[in-house]
Every structure is written in structure tokens, then in C-alpha cells.
Amino acid sequence: QQQVKQSPQSLIVQKGGISIINCAYENTAFDYFPWYQQFPGKGPALLIAIRPDVSEKKEGRFTISFNKSAKQFSLHIMDSQPGDSATYFCAAGLLTGNQFYFGTGTSLTVIP
Amino acid sequence: EAQVTQNPRYLITVTGKKLTVTCSQNMNHEYMSWYRQDPGLGLRQIYYSMNVEVTDKGDVPEGYKVSRKEKRNFPLILESPSPNQTSLYFCASSIDRDLNTEAFFGQGTRLTVV
């Protein structure tokens, strides 16, 4: 059973637009939800993360929205730029459990 | 510079020939883990280690071994590689599983088993 489902698989957005990537998780006990950004030829890098005690977290142009009752969370990239073109992974797990489950990734392309 | 170093970056091997992918971090992190990345499947955790001599299975441990004899090193061992282990492998480390602590990933090892 896939613990974290991510959509869409790929996304093309115009420069200046909003990119939205969605994830859904299975285990209601999960309490840590990070997003990672990966550029070609590089390892993933932590972008932003959220705990379920808040519904939204914003860092610059990146915002996580969290819906605990629906077991869903999403990444919003405001004013998307060509430099944001990368693969984005959501993940979920237990802070004390030491095992994390990743989504299948979203390839974002921001066109000028 | 804080980093996680994997070697080799690229490796082509034959079925059954034992191999080791090394991983080293210079941040004195306690927690280290290995992932494999496959198209359409994302990142899947193979093994993780909470500290020296403490390791545990992740989501897809079959066919892999690890060891943690020193804090900085966490090698991934494939005793008898098979073609279904062809993948992109990442090692990662973090101080611990705290929200305020960033997880650092290596640059990856692309393994091909023929």
C-alpha cells in the first residue's frame, strides 16, 4: 500500500504563475511532512516542512497547506520562476519513527 | 563545507558480483539512511541508522546490507546484485529527526547491474 500519493506527475507553469502540487497520506499517526526539491544530477534538498498542529506554513514564495481531516497537504509556489524548475517530492512520517515515505515526485517546468 | 559524499557516482557491474557504495558525512550527524530512487516510485528507504552500531530496515531492505561502525560512515553493501537493483541510490544524514534539522542528501550513485 502506497503510504503517500502525489499528484500531478508533471506540471508546466508560466513564469509568474502559481504551481500547486498535492499529496495525500494514509497513516493518521504521521506527524512530519517535508517537501524536497531535486535538481537534475543532485540529491534532494529540504525545501520546507510542516507539523500537523498548524494548517499553513509559509517561507518566501513557498507555502505548505495542511488539511489534517482530509489527510492531505500541498505545496504552493507563488510567482513561479524558471529557476524553480525541478522535481518536487513530498514525504510523510513519524518524527520519532525514523522512517519516512516519499511521494513519487512531480516534475515542474516553469516556462519564461 | 557540510556535505554527504557518496562513492562511486556511477557504477556498472555484473549480476552476482559483490559491491559496496560508500557514504560519508562530515557533520557529526547521528542519523543516516539509504534510499533508492526509481522512475514512478519516488524515493524508497532501504536502511537507516540511528547511531553507531544501530541500524534498522526501511521499506525495501531485501538484497542489501549496511553497517555503521563509525559515526561518519554508512556503507551500503550488495552481496549479490541483481538487475532489479539497477537504480539511483542516495545516502542522507541529519542530526536527528527534528523538524528544525535539515536532512542532507549525497549527490547519488547510479548503479547498473547487467
Side-chain angles (χ1 to χ4, degrees), chain A:
Chain A
Q1 184 186 16
Q2 196 172 351
Q3 294 284 346
V4 179
K5 295 180 181 177
Q6 183 172 347
S7 63
Q9 187 174 4
S10 61
L11 182 61
I12 300 175
V13 173
Q14 202 85 24
K15 179 183 175 182
I18 302 174
S19 303
I20 301 174
I21 304 170
N22 301 301
C23 283
Y25 62 97
E26 291 292 324
N27 191 335
T28 55
F30 287 163
D31 60 0
Y32 181 51
F33 304 89
W35 284 89
Y36 285 85
Q37 180 187 54
Q38 183 181 26
F39 293 106
K42 303 290 187 183
L46 182 65
L47 186 63
I48 187 173
I50 197 169
R51 295 289 303 275
D53 51 346
V54 296
S55 60
E56 186 176 282
K57 182 174 181 180
K58 185 176 181 179
E59 289 184 3
R61 296 184 294 107
F62 300 91
T63 300
I64 300 179
S65 297
F66 186 81
N67 186 330
K68 189 174 182 178
S69 60
K71 296 190 291 182
Q72 294 176 345
F73 58 110
S74 59
L75 176 69
H76 295 235
I77 306 175
M78 312 300 287
D79 186 27
S80 299
Q81 299 296 312
D84 296 331
S85 297
T87 299
Y88 293 81
F89 292 96
C90 62
L94 294 170
L95 269 180
T96 57
N98 304 302
Q99 187 170 359
F100 279 80
Y101 300 91
F102 282 79
T104 51
T106 296
S107 176
L108 171 65
T109 302
V110 181
I111 52 177

Side-chain angles (χ1 to χ4, degrees), chain B:
Chain B
E1 179 189 351
Q3 60 185 2
V4 177
T5 303
Q6 293 178 227
N7 279 297
R9 292 288 311 277
Y10 302 90
L11 178 60
I12 301 174
T13 190
V14 296
T15 299
K17 186 176 181 182
K18 181 180 178 180
L19 66 92
T20 300
V21 183
T22 64
C23 174
S24 180
Q25 49 95 1
N26 62 359
M27 296 165 281
N28 201 36
H29 285 170
E30 292 187 348
Y31 183 95
M32 296 184 75
S33 58
W34 275 102
Y35 293 86
R36 60 178 289 174
Q37 183 176 5
D38 302 289
L41 296 176
L43 288 152
R44 293 179 292 168
Q45 193 176 50
I46 303 170
Y47 268 94
Y48 62 91
S49 169
M50 294 291 293
N51 213 325
V52 175
E53 301 292 1
V54 181
T55 64
D56 208 345
K57 296 177 181 179
D59 219 16
V60 287
E62 295 78 20
Y64 305 94
K65 284 175 57 177
V66 293
S67 70
R68 189 89 181 274
K69 294 184 171 54
E70 309 166 275
K71 201 170 189 178
R72 63 182 291 125
N73 295 323
F74 189 44
L76 179 70
I77 303 155
L78 284 72
E79 293 271 4
S80 183
S82 62
N84 64 12
Q85 292 178 299
T86 292
S87 186
L88 179 59
Y89 292 86
F90 287 101
C91 177
S93 77
S94 59
I95 295 178
D96 56 42
R97 278 299 184 189
D98 185 277
L99 178 64
N100 297 315
T101 301
E102 182 173 352
F104 290 84
F105 279 80
Q107 288 200 295
T109 295
R110 185 165 292 282
L111 171 66
T112 302
V113 183
V114 297

